[in-house]
Amino acid sequence: MTAFPQGTILGYPRIGRRRELKKAVEAFWAGRSDLVALEQTAADLRAASRERLASLGLGRTDSAIPESFSYYDQVHDAAVTVGAIPTRFDNLRETDGSIGLPAYFTIARGEGERAALEMTKWFDSNYHYLVPEIGPETTFSLSSDRVVRQVEEAVAAGFVTRPVIVGPVTLLALAKASDAAPEGFDPLSRLDDLVPVYVELLARLRAAGAEWVQLDEPALVSESLPASAEQLADAAARALAVIGGAASRPSILVAAPYAALDASLAVLAAAPIEAIAIDLVRGSVPAAVEGLADKVLVGGVIDGHNIWRGDLAGAFDKLEALGALGAAQVAASTSTSLLHVPHDVTDESKLDERLASWLAFADQKVEQVVALARGLGSGRQAIQAELDAASAALADRSNAPGVRDGAVRSRELADGDFSRVSYAEREAAQAEALGLPALPLTTIGSFPQTGDIRRARAQYIRGELSQDDYDTFLRREVDTVVELQEDLGLDVLVHGEPERNDMVQYFAENLSGFSVTENGWVQSYGSRATRPSILWGDVSRPAPITVGWSVYAQSKTAKHMKGMLTGPVTILAWSFVRDDQPLGETANQVALALRDEITDLEAAGIAIIQVDEPALRELLPLKKSDQAAYLNWSVNSFRLATGGAAAATQVHTHLCYSEFGVVIDAIRALDADVTSIEAARSRMGVVTDIAEVGFDHGIGPGVYDIHSPRVPTVDEIESLLRRAVDELPTRQLWINPDCGLKTRGYDETTESLRNIVEATRRVREDISVTA
Ligand code: GLN
Ligand code: ZN
């Protein structure tokens, strides 16, 4: 086996420090540039990343630098590499069967009637991957040599890098059965057919000059996949026996990030591979297992998920503890790929200097790994200065003003703060106060964020539009949205959220304890990136946030105007959150700020208030044993936020998915008066689940799939409504789209809403006849 470097990272951001890849890819999609230009930009980015990583201290020729570039998504990369694409895209293959870059994008994004691959969350991160579709008909064959060419490209530039590829078990475990597959088909059953392609790929990588390859197998840590931990471990043993036994291959590192490896560690230790990377941020140092004596253990001690500089001395302690397990070698690494953090803190010129000194983005984390590696080689005293500096920053952080705010901490919580009066009492009070028709019509909150809105916001941020002019612009926008809803005949109106760039950042900008970045972009999916806020201190609300907008919008209509807030769990999930106290404590601080906002909205005459929690499901821990505690604090924080609302105030919540099953008890426990969910894509299938579990509060199953530009017809919506009315009592039902309308255009939105109103009118007619 070739020696493994003392320090490495599991992956590096690929979007570019200024989102160069996004711009290049979108220009190509729009036909503003050609393939050659796009490939050149990507090659330049890869070259810049290699040089940058080398200058930060990773070795040029010892495989320390990961070759982890992706044009869109690493799961899609692996699927395309092994040829696992849906048959509906088969005609996009070249005559030799290979799949080129334009085809790769088309499969990712869909084309006309041919649906794109579905997208879903990557483990417990905020990154979304493309779900491969695999069935008995899928043919596996090496269909793209892109990763091989990248290794060659690196060699030509004087580097020996370590290609990173999603491994066969994770690829299949994350896949869904293709449309053609029979009922109950399990993609994992295709493992033996897939593995030979990996063998072939590894031989090609070896020939191209790769000395190490990294196979990412995070499926091995998850207890939230359809396959059980035992099935996944068995699959890994089978696959690695073949891949590891191949005649010509690089040395193999199997990485299992995002949680503890548990029993699967023994399986990897027994496999014919050379190195194992484990997550020591989420998991603790494991007990020794058989088979480690000839393995490299790569300790993921630097948090790849979060942006804190953290406890470097503690990280080194973990590496020393790892050394006691009897492995051939220990190396320092990040816990996950750095794809979840922005590039570089030094790109933030406006961030408070003291706050910046507590942070580590990707480049700073690389420096931390390099320091730890030096410590492993030369002993702790060689890096004492670095360890001490990190400890000093940590101590500074714990004592800094705002991190602990006496006024926030002295707010006492009583049990009663988490509960409202009984639902029956609330239902009666609300029926009397609100006077809503049967099957009330509403929307989820946002209306289209037009080019005009984005332009005005950009001008305002650049100082080209005064506060007054911007406010006037936004008020006109609200006027239009209110008028449109009046014309359409909706029952509960919204103001449209034109003032919000993003449903979390908007609150972060208006609460104490948060900071926002200039260049802190993190890939969300494909060419999309978000800029999470940093929640670093105790959270409080210096002044009302949404009240002015809600009151203004309410003044424009005699109908009810819905107040619109983002819930505590979602605010945490889509921010970088402080790691120095339990998440539940932080969530309760956010909840108290929202609680005050609700009090103010009520006092200003807003009778219906929605608190969105689309992220409730996504933060669910991967390990079953952690889930109950999570659901407990997350639900409680929502209840604390809403628990002060009067009986007659109607509290709504919105969740963005229809996988009700796992979290149904939690949704019930939120005790919102009305919950809107996605249902259009499942053709209302979720209504059956809701009826089965006896959920008896208000429910708004979506009738319009806002992810698609398609306008649903009146008949189509009517049939969805009839299915809902058949399965659930009318008094429970609300009519709304699946989610907010901000990504849609006005034409399709107006037409779709008009069809929803008409379909509702038809169904209401029948109800009043039968009533
Ligand atoms: N109120 C938000 C909107 O309509 C909710 C969006 C979401 O749940 N993702 O945009
Ligand atoms: Zn939603």
Side-chain angles (χ1 to χ4, degrees):
M1 140 177 102
T2 327
F4 194 80
Q6 206 98 64
T8 190
I9 57 175
L10 295 189
Y12 190 66
R14 50 247 183 154
I15 56 178
R17 298 166 76 90
R18 293 292 180 275
R19 289 180 299 158
E20 291 88 346
L21 186 61
K22 172 198 182 67
K23 290 163 201 162
V25 161
E26 290 180 356
F28 173 70
W29 292 343
R32 292 195 309 270
S33 80
D34 62 9
L35 203 52
V36 176
L38 174 59
E39 295 267 22
Q40 190 55 52
T41 305
D44 292 347
L45 272 172
R46 289 191 295 267
S49 291
R50 286 182 209 114
E51 288 296 343
R52 177 77 182 157
L53 291 172
S55 76
L56 291 168
L58 292 182
R60 282 181 178 261
T61 55
D62 63 358
S63 305
I65 295 178
E67 196 64 53
S68 61
F69 176 81
S70 177
Y71 270 108
Y72 198 100
D73 166 48
Q74 69 272 11
V75 179
H76 192 41
D77 291 337
V80 166
T81 299
V82 302
I85 61 170
T87 49
R88 65 179 175 280
F89 293 112
D90 261 345
N91 73 319
L92 297 179
R93 289 178 189 263
E94 311 285 323
T95 39
D96 66 354
S98 65
I99 302 163
L101 191 55
Y104 167 97
F105 286 134
T106 302
I107 300 165
R109 305 171 69 225
E111 185 178 63
E113 290 293 291
R114 288 189 285 181
L117 294 182
E118 213 176 87
M119 214 166 47
T120 194
K121 296 265 170 190
W122 172 250
F123 297 90
D124 59 351
S125 77
N126 210 349
Y127 175 80
H128 305 64
Y129 69 92
L130 290 170
V131 181
E133 297 174 21
I134 289 174
E137 78 287 2
T138 307
T139 50
F140 298 110
S141 67
L142 202 53
S143 301
S144 165
D145 62 355
R146 192 157 278 287
V147 59
V148 178
R149 281 186 277 130
Q150 284 169 20
V151 168
E152 289 166 350
E153 171 189 284
V155 168
F159 287 85
V160 177
T161 53
R162 187 181 77 244
V164 178
I165 304 155
V166 170
V169 176
T170 297
L171 183 65
L172 295 176
L174 297 184
K176 67 173 198 178
S178 67
D179 290 341
E183 185 75 23
F185 175 83
D186 177 5
L188 209 48
S189 66
R190 298 295 313 275
L191 186 67
D192 295 341
D193 305 318
L194 171 61
V195 162
V197 186
Y198 276 81
V199 170
E200 188 186 345
L201 175 65
L202 262 54
R204 295 280 304 274
L205 289 170
R206 180 73 200 99
E211 289 173 1
W212 281 88
V213 63
Q214 175 179 325
L215 295 178
D216 281 341
E217 290 288 12
L220 296 178
V221 308
S222 179
E223 294 172 358
S224 301
L225 292 168
S228 70
E230 292 73 33
Q231 286 170 321
L232 292 165
D234 282 353
R238 270 210 338 266
L240 293 174
V242 177
I243 297 172
S248 171
R249 62 168 177 85
S251 296
I252 297 172
L253 163 66
V254 172
Y258 299 101
L261 197 43
D262 295 336
S264 296
L265 176 60
V267 173
L268 295 185
I273 58 170
E274 286 68 39
I276 307 168
I278 53 181
D279 187 331
L280 293 179
V281 171
R282 290 293 170 80
S284 44
V285 175
V289 293
E290 200 89 18
L292 289 179
D294 60 352
K295 299 268 187 304
V296 181
L297 270 182
V298 181
V301 292
I302 298 296
D303 195 346
H305 255 292
N306 217 328
I307 42 75
W308 301 104
R309 185 171 173 184
D311 177 10
L312 200 58
F316 195 69
D317 292 343
K318 288 182 193 171
L319 291 175
E320 288 188 325
L322 208 57
L325 300 187
Q329 185 199 334
V330 165
S333 179
T334 52
S335 61
T336 67
S337 163
L338 293 173
L339 109 99
H340 305 300
V341 297
H343 271 267
D344 188 354
V345 179
T346 65
D347 275 345
E348 300 298 327
S349 60
K350 296 196 184 117
L351 215 53
D352 176 78
E353 243 174 76
R354 192 162 176 187
L355 172 61
S357 76
W358 309 334
L359 302 178
F361 292 178
D363 287 0
Q364 287 68 43
K365 286 176 188 287
V366 173
E367 289 173 324
Q368 292 190 310
V369 162
V370 167
L372 293 173
R374 200 148 42 77
L376 285 174
S378 317
R380 191 178 195 113
Q381 66 292 343
I383 56 164
Q384 199 57 53
E386 278 98 333
L387 301 184
D388 291 347
S391 301
L394 208 55
D396 179 57
R397 182 178 153 201
S398 66
N399 295 319
V403 172
R404 298 178 70 85
D405 175 346
V408 174
R409 289 182 181 257
S410 61
R411 280 182 76 161
E412 299 206 4
L413 300 182
D415 280 354
D417 295 342
F418 293 85
S419 298
R420 303 173 69 200
V421 295
S422 76
Y423 179 62
E425 235 173 288
R426 281 156 27 211
E427 199 184 12
Q430 289 161 23
E432 188 176 322
L434 301 175
L436 294 169
L439 306 180
L441 281 153
T442 192
T443 60
I444 306 303
S446 58
F447 267 69
Q449 289 256 336
T450 58
D452 281 351
I453 298 181
R454 279 196 295 269
R455 253 185 312 278
R457 184 182 302 133
Q459 286 174 345
Y460 167 66
I461 290 169
R462 286 198 299 267
E464 294 161 20
L465 202 63
S466 71
Q467 182 75 54
D468 273 359
D469 290 347
Y470 184 50
D471 284 346
T472 305
F473 170 86
L474 291 175
R475 273 197 294 272
R476 292 295 81 81
E477 195 61 39
V478 172
D479 295 347
T480 317
V481 168
V482 171
E483 222 176 276
L484 174 62
Q485 296 172 87
E486 291 259 16
D487 288 350
L488 288 166
L490 302 184
D491 302 304
V492 172
L493 311 196
V494 298
H495 75 286
E497 306 176 26
E499 79 287 10
R500 305 183 190 180
N501 44 353
D502 170 282
M503 63 187 285
V504 169
Q505 190 173 343
Y506 177 71
F507 286 90
E509 281 170 356
N510 287 286
L511 290 168
S512 306
F514 286 86
S515 289
V516 293
T517 66
E518 270 171 280
N519 296 303
W521 296 99
V522 174
Q523 189 177 14
S524 165
Y525 69 89
S527 67
R528 302 296 188 94
T530 60
R531 209 158 27 126
S533 303
I534 299 173
L535 196 177
W536 55 269
D538 281 349
V539 176
S540 61
R541 188 190 66 137
I545 302 170
T546 64
V547 180
W549 289 112
S550 290
V551 168
Y552 174 76
Q554 181 68 83
S555 77
K556 297 283 164 174
T557 178
K559 301 241 172 107
H560 293 293
M561 179 58 56
K562 189 156 60 164
M564 199 59 61
L565 306 175
T566 302
V569 182
T570 300
I571 289 183
L572 260 57
W574 296 350
S575 304
F576 287 122
V577 181
R578 63 190 298 177
D579 59 353
D580 58 348
Q581 63 182 21
L583 284 176
E585 233 171 88
T586 310
N588 279 352
Q589 292 182 353
V590 176
L592 284 173
L594 294 171
R595 187 181 174 105
D596 296 346
E597 184 78 4
I598 290 176
T599 304
D600 289 344
L601 283 168
E602 279 182 321
I606 303 298
I608 303 180
I609 300 168
Q610 180 170 311
V611 181
D612 292 326
E613 281 294 22
L616 184 69
R617 166 81 180 77
E618 104 189 23
L619 273 197
L620 191 71
L622 300 177
K623 300 287 187 191
K624 293 216 163 68
S625 56
D626 298 333
Q627 292 178 352
Y630 161 72
L631 290 171
N632 187 43
W633 72 252
S634 57
V635 166
N636 273 333
S637 69
F638 182 90
R639 294 179 64 117
L640 179 60
T642 55
T649 301
Q650 192 166 64
V651 173
H652 289 216
T653 191
H654 166 69
L655 311 165
C656 282
Y657 41 81
S658 58
E659 307 140 49
F660 236 54
V662 242
V663 282
I664 177 68
D665 289 332
I667 293 170
R668 206 200 306 255
L670 294 179
D671 198 26
D673 298 306
V674 179
T675 302
S676 60
I677 52 163
E678 175 187 309
R681 277 191 288 194
S682 73
R683 318 290 316 150
M684 284 281 149
V686 62
V687 167
T688 312
D689 301 343
I690 295 167
E692 250 164 37
V693 298
F695 184 81
D696 66 348
H697 291 23
I699 181 89
V703 295
Y704 165 29
D705 174 11
I706 59 87
H707 299 98
S708 156
R710 242 187 96 252
V711 173
T713 64
V714 178
D715 289 346
E716 201 177 322
I717 300 168
E718 184 185 347
S719 80
L720 294 181
L721 290 183
R722 295 210 181 267
R723 171 150 186 208
V725 171
D726 279 349
E727 300 205 37
L728 288 169
T730 319
R731 52 153 269 276
Q732 246 183 293
L733 275 171
W734 281 68
I735 314 302
N736 46 258
D738 269 354
C739 192
L741 303 165
K742 67 171 166 241
T743 55
R744 298 268 60 95
Y746 262 105
D747 289 348
E748 52 198 287
T749 293
T750 307
E751 224 183 305
S752 300
L753 291 177
R754 187 171 294 130
N755 291 353
I756 293 176
V757 173
E758 171 58 16
T760 306
R761 192 193 59 75
R762 290 186 193 170
V763 176
R764 274 180 186 161
E765 226 161 52
D766 286 1
I767 293 169
S768 56
V769 171
T770 47

